[in-house]
Amino acid sequence: MSTSAIRPKRVSSASRSAPSENDGLGVESVEPRRAAAVLSGFNGTRRVPPPVNEPIKSYGPGSPERAELKNRLKSMSAERIDIPLIIGGAEIRSGDVAQSVMPHKHRHVLADWHRASAEHVDLAVKSAQQAAREWANWAWEDRAAVFLKAAELLATKWRATLNAATMLGQSKTAFQAEIDSACELIDFWRFNPHYAQSLYDEQPLSDRTMWNQLDYRPLEGFVYAVTPFNFTSIAGNLPTAPALMGNTVIWKPASSAMLSAYYIMKLLEEAGLPPGVINFVPGDPGMISDKLLAHRDLAGVHFTGSTAVFNSMWKTIGASMSRYKSYPRIVGETGGKDFIVAHRSADPAALSVAIARGGFEYQGQKCSAASRVYIPESIWPEVRDRTVAIMKDIRMGDVTDFRNFMGAVIDKKAFTKISEYLEHGRKNATVVAGGVARGESGYFIEPTLIETKDPAYRLLCEEIFGPVVTAHVYPDAKWAETLKIVDETSPYALTGAVFGTDRQAIREAALALRNAAGNFYVNDKPTGAVVGQQPFGGARGSGTNDKAGSKLNLVRWISPRSVKETFSPPVDYRYPFMQEE
Ligand code: NAD
């Protein structure tokens, strides 16, 4: 299938449209698209198609998907696109631009993207408020159809484009892009309508004299969606989940994942999302947040990113409570320090593969990545040697070379931060393998295994967000004590795994670590949650645990109204007990 139809026009800096003199905001002279009123006119209880997880394509040699993806990678590498703001359906070019580059070839510019000004943020609020008047009143099935269509477009015509943008812009391999920007996002868009339906299905009891109903209203106001760089699927889900429930949204994408974010917007437009329902506002996060978090109509925040940023947003919201019309819903999935704890009965081969895949895939930049492992001394030599053998075999480099298992870390800031952790490891622990950072042409960090005797060592406690796994080797007899250490070492509680074949030991770990992870794995790596199978999210310092891609998340974007209708209202104020004997 040709992808030429979905390539945006290449805009050189000379031909880029200047801000219009009329509004001073850079709104192009074209009329903004307006939402068409959708009138309800349908009798029948409609059911969304039963969702099925999108099959993962292999991209093996000779496969048609491999050929299509390679073509798109080539064409995308050859273009430099211009990414506008999209507010109320209008493309806006502020002229204040920044660049998106390939992390693995950081001199290669993929796109110039426009930053919003404070006035653009105001415009986005206005546009969200206007669009809400109609969108909130669409039949929910019509809203669901937009996202079901988006899923189908992504499964077919848009698949190569979104995967290529994720590979080039975020340095994911073909497989890592496929499970994220294709399969997971398709799953979000197919499963969420199904969960919405099951939520709307829940209605209260009635009898012959009355009919009780629950009207699952959207929130009153706009939702502010702030997305991270590391998952294109999360970037797509955070604005669309509240929109599915009838809300309108202002979306601030991550500056280091702008290419894939922009293509998500274009895909949604093609799927029929009305203008103003989701407003795409890239720019300075501090300025945008200051404006939106202080707005009277802030109805909710849908955030994924670091714990520090989420905490600062929560603090601002707390300090602004007296301004709001309603209590804003605050949903945030944040950092992790995810563990693998092995019992002496664990299979060393399975354990070392889990460490390598869980710790190093996507350069350890998954919130769920294994970054601290606890291994009994009886099996450590074998686990260490097997893991090191895998690490020696791993190829790292340009993700368009499909032989590579790893690409580069996202940007210079991440590269510097991870390099500092490596330096700390060299000075204070034992670097078993890896440990080298090379940043001249791309931000490459070798997969690294560090061993420490100190269970409170810094690298076992802090989120590094890079391909660095720290191992603590414990005496076999100290299983129960080690479980306590795993539970208490870090402030996070996102994902974790236990390895062992002794059923009693596994039960002990599951109980001792009940609050240490929102996603707990037995004999499996702690990454790779699938929508509809392992609803994702953690507690403690890892977030509000509202489980993205589940009914539990959608509940946060509604404000139900109870409606009671009485068929024969009483016409006498007196009750029977008041009558004379
Ligand atoms: P980040 O916190 O640096 O950025 C996330 C988003 O917040 C970006 O859009 C960024 O521009 C924005 N932001 C930055 N400063 C802000 C401010 N002052 N006000 C408002 N917004 C601001 O995180 P990141 O580097 O993009 O992503 C990595 C982090 O995300 C890691 O900590 C990781 O664990 C976490 N994460 C968690 C989950 C989860 O489900 N728990 C999933 C993915 C990523």
Side-chain angles (χ1 to χ4, degrees):
M1 184 170 299
S2 162
T3 51
S4 58
I6 54 177
R7 280 183 214 148
K9 220 172 59 201
R10 191 178 154 168
V11 185
S12 72
S13 50
S15 67
R16 205 180 285 139
S17 67
S20 106
E21 284 176 5
N22 293 343
D23 54 26
L25 294 179
V27 181
E28 292 202 324
S29 51
V30 288
E31 263 292 287
R33 295 182 305 120
R34 302 226 178 276
V38 170
L39 302 174
S40 240
F42 186 90
N43 290 331
T45 306
R46 295 184 268 181
R47 318 299 302 166
V48 298
V52 177
N53 289 113
E54 177 67 12
I56 301 169
K57 291 189 188 281
S58 80
Y59 296 87
S63 64
E65 67 267 16
R66 184 176 174 115
E68 193 188 356
L69 180 59
K70 287 223 162 190
N71 273 339
R72 193 63 184 105
L73 286 165
K74 208 164 153 202
S75 65
M76 206 176 270
S77 301
E79 60 197 16
R80 175 168 174 164
I81 67 159
D82 191 65
I83 299 180
L85 287 75
I86 303 177
I87 298 178
E91 298 207 340
I92 297 178
R93 295 185 158 79
S94 66
D96 174 13
V97 292
Q99 281 68 45
S100 289
V101 301
M102 295 182 185
H104 46 273
K105 221 188 249 179
H106 49 58
R107 279 182 207 91
H108 188 125
V109 178
L110 291 160
D112 300 282
W113 56 273
H114 292 252
R115 290 195 191 92
S117 68
E119 291 74 26
H120 292 128
V121 180
D122 293 336
L123 190 66
V125 173
K126 227 179 264 166
S127 144
Q129 286 166 331
Q130 266 167 16
R133 286 182 214 130
E134 285 183 7
W135 182 246
N137 297 326
W138 275 34
W140 75 264
E141 296 93 332
D142 293 324
R143 293 196 308 265
V146 171
F147 299 107
L148 292 170
K149 168 141 190 186
E152 192 53 24
L153 285 172
L154 179 50
T156 52
K157 181 180 169 189
W158 279 85
R159 193 178 199 120
T161 291
L162 214 57
N163 278 345
T166 302
M167 290 175 71
L168 298 178
Q170 289 139 265
S171 206
K172 289 205 172 187
T173 61
F175 179 73
Q176 290 300 315
E178 169 73 4
I179 58 173
D180 166 21
S181 44
C183 299
E184 188 169 16
L185 187 49
I186 293 165
D187 287 351
F188 278 133
W189 287 341
R190 288 196 179 134
F191 279 77
N192 275 343
H194 163 77
Y195 293 130
Q197 171 177 278
S198 110
L199 189 61
Y200 294 148
D201 267 349
E202 286 177 30
Q203 291 293 327
L205 296 175
S206 302
D207 65 25
R208 59 167 231 258
T209 67
M210 72 179 88
W211 191 356
N212 294 315
Q213 301 175 11
L214 264 186
D215 167 17
Y216 291 94
R217 300 173 302 185
L219 308 177
E220 209 182 355
F222 64 85
V223 172
Y224 178 31
V226 181
T227 56
F229 80 82
N230 67 336
F231 275 92
T232 302
S233 56
I234 298 177
N237 183 49
L238 298 199
T240 54
L244 171 68
M245 306 312 284
N247 299 281
T248 56
V249 180
I250 298 167
W251 172 24
K252 198 214 76 62
S255 54
S256 41
M258 206 53 83
L259 193 62
S260 56
Y262 173 63
Y263 283 120
I264 290 171
M265 266 317 273
K266 299 309 285 177
L267 186 166
L268 288 169
E269 280 180 0
E270 188 174 328
L273 187 76
V277 171
I278 295 175
N279 299 281
F280 180 74
V281 183
D284 170 24
M287 181 278 288
I288 298 171
S289 292
D290 282 351
K291 285 198 76 77
L292 295 181
L293 298 181
H295 201 285
R296 175 176 156 71
D297 284 346
L298 178 76
V301 169
H302 205 188
F303 175 87
T304 296
S306 61
T307 302
V309 169
F310 187 53
N311 289 356
S312 78
M313 291 172 83
W314 194 303
K315 217 164 153 186
T316 308
I317 294 169
S320 312
M321 280 321 299
S322 57
R323 295 172 195 246
Y324 303 129
K325 192 190 269 176
S326 311
Y327 290 97
R329 303 288 168 88
I330 314 175
V331 176
E333 298 305 329
T334 58
K337 187 69 191 173
D338 310 297
F339 60 83
I340 295 178
V341 58
H343 183 253
R344 63 174 179 275
S345 64
D347 169 8
L351 187 52
S352 48
V353 168
I355 294 171
R357 284 189 170 175
F360 305 135
E361 276 180 324
Y362 191 38
Q363 298 76 265
Q365 298 172 116
K366 300 187 182 188
C367 47
S368 53
S371 63
R372 52 184 180 124
V373 300
Y374 300 81
I375 318 281
E377 57 194 8
S378 60
I379 61 169
W380 169 241
E382 186 178 352
V383 173
R384 180 195 57 212
D385 294 350
R386 281 177 177 274
T387 309
V388 171
I390 296 172
M391 291 165 72
K392 291 224 162 91
D393 197 51
I394 284 176
R395 282 180 61 122
M396 181 172 67
D398 186 331
V399 290
T400 59
D401 177 345
F402 281 24
R403 291 169 305 173
N404 288 326
F405 179 81
M406 289 172 65
V409 299
I410 193 70
D411 57 18
K412 188 160 188 196
K413 195 170 148 219
F415 178 80
T416 307
K417 182 180 148 192
I418 301 163
S419 303
E420 283 165 12
Y421 277 111
L422 294 181
E423 181 62 20
H424 198 279
R426 271 191 291 276
K427 286 195 180 136
N428 301 287
T430 307
V431 177
V432 178
V436 177
R438 266 178 262 105
E440 308 81 44
S441 56
Y443 302 115
F444 291 107
I445 309 256
E446 277 186 357
T448 300
L449 182 63
I450 288 175
E451 185 187 346
T452 178
K453 300 210 172 341
D454 175 7
Y457 177 48
R458 189 172 154 208
L459 271 64
L460 286 170
C461 306
E462 296 174 14
E463 184 180 48
I464 300 172
F465 225 58
V468 183
V469 174
T470 306
H472 174 62
V473 182
Y474 69 90
D476 289 33
K478 296 213 160 168
W479 171 241
E481 293 88 331
T482 301
L483 292 179
K484 193 164 173 346
I485 288 169
V486 174
D487 184 43
E488 293 174 356
T489 297
S490 111
Y492 303 106
L494 191 52
T495 75
V498 58
F499 273 75
T501 51
D502 176 335
R503 174 64 47 189
Q504 180 57 25
I506 289 170
R507 292 312 314 150
E508 256 180 84
L511 186 61
L513 300 171
R514 192 164 184 214
N515 292 310
N519 284 62
F520 188 68
Y521 294 81
V522 178
N523 290 318
D524 205 341
K525 64 182 169 47
T527 58
V530 174
V531 176
Q533 298 186 27
Q534 298 95 21
F536 192 79
R540 295 187 186 162
S542 291
T544 54
N545 200 11
D546 288 295
K547 299 291 186 203
S550 81
K551 199 164 151 182
L552 296 172
N553 180 277
L554 301 185
V555 166
R556 302 303 307 273
W557 312 118
I558 50 166
S559 176
R561 172 173 70 149
S562 282
V563 178
K564 175 186 177 186
E565 179 176 352
T566 297
F567 297 130
S568 39
V571 290
D572 181 352
Y573 89 94
R574 288 163 298 185
Y575 293 101
F577 79 88
M578 295 160 71
Q579 286 168 17
E580 297 265 356
E581 285 289 337

